[in-house]
């Protein structure tokens, strides 16, 4: 059987050989040969998005919820540049993507041809790796290598830029079994001597805490299982970054909640006062550390990460272990069991007593209302009414995102998709589309803000075209809420351009697209309206009218340490804001 085929046919065959079943894309002149090749097959389901940024975010949602590589196909020039935000988002959050872009013919590269741009140059700093394919002989290797690079080591996005003449050229195709990766072989197992040091430090700890991140989830479900086993074995408290939610169950007794700028009082204080921090698959982001010179000043720090460049990048580490979270956690569990020893029970008991004092502050509390829907209450009711179902949550970016992280409780990994590192407004709707396509029978809800949802609202057409029953749950406070909050706290209450004026009627907008629209403003009607949304077999836009002035607390003000949090005040929210201003003078 001959393996001779065009470059365009090679692209389609390689995707098939890599097990790709869903492809997000938008056609254009420089990728028409590939689209023609797609027309002649039925194995790969192409999903037509309405904007290339939507393709990237949809591929992210698909990848994050399924553990597979997300794939998108876009044309040259504006097609490639429109995908940049999604590629950068995937790089920041370590999401495995393969993005195939069209390019003008090789003899026109550098001539400012129609729809030409330097895709490789533009994407160099927002991808894990990128390729410009100049000859047909290199195409099969590059296609398969891209999938390997995207999903091995620290996952990330890879771009393959294919000139149009290479797509037409004929060459010899070969499958992924012939690919050898001699230069990129990420280290999976942790060094045995460092594992021994880590277990010894764990056994000697008196005030320990596990600090976990998205790397645990990226490593696979076995990593989450092993994390739970190690937490149970040691009896240590565990907290997580925004990206790591679900790796340890929110119902677990050792769970402290999320840490960081809008984390819980107990999680942040435990991080500040611990004597041993065990960081697993986390990167010490600034939203986690607060002021670096005041970050957990009395602790020894163990850092487990598959990316060597993350070790000692932001925070000085006492013990760095390079390796995959699954492998390192298994090594730790096995060695810990073999030691037949345990940490000081009395010291650990005292540590938990202190943690329970912090828990008693009830840092996620808020002032309830019978006349206006509080956004925290809306998320809580959404959680209670969906927790018995197989539910996937995506978000846009802003206050609603933090309220979702605080009040929607995740028991399993891969159920939470949000833009963490880049903070991309417009992420949630296309990500929900990707998650829904990966899990057709699941409930997928995008918790959104009325400003963020408009960033990629055109993807409503994608949801409608493919009959995807995604639910868009808008917490509508008529402000860019997080911008307004920071303007109140940091800029003297001068609300410059943060009011969401000229908003559409979201119910009518939903109906214009062919979706179902629901609006609710009365707390007494909220449960029934949420159930109506959940039970609807179609795409739904839920316009939840919430308190316009509610702030997202607790909060570590910019430039402050973990033990300098602003806390909710049931009696005087303005006093909290005034206190913040005084703290920051």
């Amino acid at each position: 059987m001959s393996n001779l085929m065009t470059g365009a046919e090679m692209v389609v065959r390689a995707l098939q050989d890599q097990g790709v079943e869903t492809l997000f894309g938008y056609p254009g002149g420089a990728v028409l040969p590939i689209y023609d090749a797609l027309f002649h097959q039925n194995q790969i389901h192409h999903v037509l998005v309405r904007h290339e940024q939507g393709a990237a975010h949809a591929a992210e949602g698909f990848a994050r919820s399924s553990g597979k590589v997300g794939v998108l196909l876009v044309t040259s020039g504006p097609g490639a540049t429109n995908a940049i935000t999604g590629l950068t988002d995937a790089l920041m959050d370590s999401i495995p993507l393969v993005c195939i872009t069209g390019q003008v013919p090789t003899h026109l590269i550098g001539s400012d041809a129609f729809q030409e741009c330097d895709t490789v140059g533009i994407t160099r700093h927002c991808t894990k790796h990128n390729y410009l394919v100049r000859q047909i002989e290199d195409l099969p290797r590059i296609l398969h290598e891209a999938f390997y690079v995207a999903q091995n080591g620290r996952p990330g996005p890879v771009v393959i830029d294919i000139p149009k003449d290479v797509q037409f050229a004929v060459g010899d195709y070969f499958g992924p079994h012939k690919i050898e990766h001699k230069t990129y072989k990420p280290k999976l197992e942790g060094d045995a001597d460092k594992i021994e040091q880590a277990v010894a430090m764990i056994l000697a700890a008196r005030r320990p805490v596990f600090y976990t991140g998205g790397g645990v989830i990226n490593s696979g479900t076995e990593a989450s299982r092993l994390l739970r086993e190690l937490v149970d074995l040691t009896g240590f408290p565990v907290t997580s970054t925004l990206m790591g939610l679900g790796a340890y169950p929110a119902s677990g007794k050792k769970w402290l909640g999320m840490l960081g700028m809008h984390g819980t009082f107990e999680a942040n204080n435990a991080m500040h006062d611990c004597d041993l921090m065990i960081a697993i698959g986390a990167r010490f982001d600034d939203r986690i550390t607060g002021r670096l010179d005041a970050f957990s000043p009395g602790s020894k720090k163990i850092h487990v990460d598959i990316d060597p460049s993350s070790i000692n990048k932001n925070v000085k580490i006492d013990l760095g272990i390079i390796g995959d979270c699954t492998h390192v956690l298994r090594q730790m569990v096995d060695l810990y069991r073999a030691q037949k020893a345990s940490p000081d029970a009395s010291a650990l008991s005292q540590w938990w007593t202190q943690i329970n004092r912090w828990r008693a502050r009830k840092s996620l509390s808020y002032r309830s209302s019978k006349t206006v829907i509080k956004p925290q209450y809306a998320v809580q009711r959404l959680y209670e009414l969906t927790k018995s179902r197989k539910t996937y949550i995506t978000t846009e970016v802003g206050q609603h995102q933090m309220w979702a992280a605080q009040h929607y409780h995740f028991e399993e990994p891969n159920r939470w998709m949000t833009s963490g590192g880049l903070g991309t407004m417009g992420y949630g709707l296309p990500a929900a589309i990707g998650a829904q396509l990966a899990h057709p029978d699941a409930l997928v809800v995008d918790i959104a803000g009325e400003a963020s949802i408009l960033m990629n609202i055109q993807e409503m057409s994608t949801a409608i075209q493919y009959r995807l029953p995604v639910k868009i749950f808008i917490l509508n406070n008529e402000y860019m809420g997080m911008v307004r909050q920071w303007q109140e706290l940091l800029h003297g209450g001068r609300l410059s351009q943060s009011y969401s004026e000229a908003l559409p009627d979201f119910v009518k907008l939903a109906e214009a697209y062919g979706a179902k629209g629901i609006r609710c403003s009365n707390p007494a009607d909220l449960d029934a309206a949420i159930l109506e949304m959940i039970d609807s077999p179609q795409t739904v836009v839920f316009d939840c009218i919430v308190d316009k002035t509610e702030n997202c607390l607790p909060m570590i003000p910019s430039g402050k340490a973990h033990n300098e949090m602003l806390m909710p005040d049931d009696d005087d929210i303005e006093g909290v804001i005034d206190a913040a201003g005084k703290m920051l003078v």
Side-chain angles (χ1 to χ4, degrees):
M1 179 177 178
S2 174
N3 283 323
L4 283 177
M5 58 185 73
T6 66
E9 291 168 338
M10 287 182 185
V11 171
V12 174
R13 176 68 67 82
L15 296 183
Q16 292 172 341
D17 288 348
Q18 289 290 341
V20 175
E21 296 178 349
T22 304
L23 171 65
F24 302 92
Y26 201 93
V31 284
L32 287 184
I34 298 174
Y35 272 89
D36 191 52
L38 283 169
F39 183 84
H40 295 286
Q41 60 84 52
N42 56 17
Q43 187 173 327
I44 298 170
H45 177 216
H46 180 277
V47 177
L48 178 67
V49 296
R50 271 41 179 189
H51 190 282
E52 290 88 352
Q53 181 184 351
H57 294 324
E60 285 188 276
F62 183 92
R64 184 74 172 174
S65 65
S66 68
K68 301 176 181 178
V69 177
V71 187
L72 61 150
L73 172 62
V74 300
T75 195
S76 64
T81 58
N82 281 347
I84 294 296
T85 299
L87 294 173
T88 310
D89 192 272
L91 182 70
M92 293 284 280
D93 287 344
S94 304
I95 309 301
L97 299 186
V98 169
C99 174
I100 298 169
T101 63
Q103 184 55 274
V104 300
T106 52
H107 68 277
L108 290 179
I109 291 176
S111 70
D112 293 333
F114 178 66
Q115 290 194 333
E116 181 195 358
C117 73
D118 180 8
T119 300
V120 168
I122 291 170
T123 62
R124 181 167 289 120
H125 299 291
C126 63
T127 57
K128 185 177 177 182
H129 195 57
N130 61 15
Y131 303 86
L132 172 59
V133 186
R134 289 188 173 271
Q135 51 192 22
I136 189 68
E137 291 80 10
D138 294 331
L139 184 57
R141 173 186 60 80
I142 288 173
L143 286 164
H144 297 306
E145 192 172 284
F147 278 85
Y148 176 85
V149 172
Q151 61 192 319
N152 283 275
R154 180 178 175 180
V158 178
V159 162
I160 310 171
D161 197 33
I162 311 177
K164 195 167 184 179
D165 57 325
V166 175
Q167 297 173 40
F168 279 122
V170 175
D172 197 19
Y173 173 79
F174 54 84
H177 60 283
K178 288 192 175 183
I179 300 297
E180 291 185 18
H181 304 277
K182 297 177 181 178
T183 59
Y184 183 58
K185 293 186 178 180
K187 193 174 187 298
L188 301 180
E189 299 279 342
D191 292 339
D193 60 334
K194 292 189 174 183
I195 300 295
E196 289 181 12
Q197 290 180 55
V199 171
M201 292 168 73
I202 287 171
L203 290 170
R206 299 176 65 84
R207 300 186 311 279
V209 65
F210 283 107
Y211 154 41
T212 63
V216 179
I217 291 174
N218 288 341
S219 184
T221 55
E222 180 66 4
S224 295
R225 187 195 69 76
L226 288 163
L227 171 66
R228 297 169 188 218
E229 184 176 353
L230 187 56
V231 169
D232 290 343
L233 283 170
T234 59
F236 290 179
V238 57
T239 182
S240 164
T241 66
L242 179 73
M243 297 303 295
L245 296 176
Y248 188 85
S251 61
K253 293 181 179 179
K254 306 297 186 294
W255 176 241
L256 302 183
M258 183 179 71
L259 80 157
M261 180 170 280
H262 292 287
T264 65
F265 188 68
E266 54 268 32
N268 283 326
N269 276 282
M271 286 284 281
H272 186 272
D273 287 0
C274 69
D275 70 346
L276 178 66
M277 180 189 303
I278 308 143
I280 304 175
R283 59 187 180 89
F284 293 92
D285 172 74
D286 64 291
R287 289 296 171 104
I288 295 301
T289 62
R291 200 175 82 233
L292 277 173
D293 62 359
F295 174 64
S296 193
S299 70
K300 292 188 180 298
K301 300 173 181 68
I302 301 170
H303 187 189
V304 177
D305 205 293
I306 199 165
D307 181 5
S309 70
S310 290
I311 307 292
N312 286 315
K313 182 168 75 174
N314 296 327
V315 172
K316 186 181 182 300
I317 299 302
D318 296 279
L319 178 63
I321 302 175
I322 299 170
D324 176 75
C325 289
T326 299
H327 291 77
V328 174
L329 282 166
R330 183 178 292 113
Q331 289 173 282
M332 284 185 172
V333 167
D334 291 345
L335 187 57
Y336 187 92
R337 287 187 180 278
Q339 296 295 304
K340 301 189 184 304
S342 58
D344 186 321
S346 176
L348 192 57
S349 177
Q350 292 177 39
W351 180 227
W352 273 110
T353 298
Q354 176 58 66
I355 288 171
N356 286 329
R357 290 195 192 101
W358 290 324
R359 276 177 168 168
R361 290 290 302 272
K362 299 186 182 302
S363 62
L364 299 183
S365 62
Y366 58 93
R367 182 168 36 186
S368 61
S369 172
K370 292 185 178 180
T371 58
V372 64
I373 298 173
K374 292 290 185 175
Q376 303 95 320
Y377 178 73
V379 175
Q380 287 176 342
R381 295 315 304 157
L382 178 68
Y383 167 69
E384 291 296 335
L385 295 169
T386 59
K387 66 181 181 180
S388 63
R389 302 169 184 249
K390 185 179 181 181
T391 305
Y392 294 81
I393 299 293
T394 71
T395 76
E396 309 294 334
V397 169
Q399 285 180 317
H400 62 274
Q401 175 191 29
M402 295 298 107
W403 282 318
Q406 291 173 338
H407 298 283
Y408 200 101
H409 308 297
F410 296 94
E411 298 294 309
E412 300 294 336
N414 303 105
R415 299 296 183 88
W416 164 249
M417 279 73 60
T418 194
S419 175
L422 195 60
T424 306
M425 295 173 70
Y427 169 91
L429 173 54
I433 287 170
Q436 189 75 78
L437 284 159
H439 306 277
D441 298 326
L443 173 65
V444 180
V445 182
D446 172 27
I447 299 177
E450 83 291 333
S452 278
I453 192 62
L454 294 177
M455 287 282 191
N456 272 317
I457 193 66
Q458 76 283 341
E459 298 309 324
M460 282 288 295
S461 288
T462 307
I464 295 300
Q465 177 178 343
Y466 296 97
R467 296 179 175 84
L468 303 175
V470 296
K471 317 302 181 191
I472 302 158
F473 190 69
I474 301 172
L475 301 183
N476 187 346
N477 59 11
E478 297 183 3
Y479 280 99
M480 298 175 212
M482 196 62 84
V483 174
R484 175 193 57 75
Q485 179 170 330
W486 278 59
Q487 287 175 337
E488 286 184 0
L489 293 173
L490 305 176
H491 299 281
R494 295 179 292 278
L495 305 186
S496 177
Q497 302 301 314
S498 55
Y499 181 63
S500 297
E501 297 189 66
L503 285 171
D505 180 324
F506 284 108
V507 171
K508 288 183 179 178
L509 184 64
E511 292 169 350
Y513 275 109
K516 181 180 180 67
I518 299 172
R519 181 177 292 114
C520 184
S521 59
N522 187 341
D525 300 332
L526 184 59
D527 277 21
I530 289 175
L531 287 172
E532 182 184 358
M533 175 187 76
I534 294 168
D535 293 336
S536 173
Q538 63 188 118
T539 308
V540 177
V541 177
F542 189 118
D543 189 15
C544 187
I545 310 300
V546 299
D547 191 329
K548 293 177 175 53
T549 60
E550 191 76 8
N551 282 314
C552 186
L553 297 170
M555 175 181 175
I556 302 174
S558 180
K560 294 297 176 179
H562 281 93
N563 61 346
E564 297 178 290
M565 297 185 72
L566 298 180
M567 299 289 287
D569 188 326
D570 291 339
D571 299 319
D572 184 15
I573 192 66
E574 295 302 325
V576 174
I577 296 171
D578 291 342
K582 292 173 183 175
M583 288 175 69
L584 293 166
V585 170

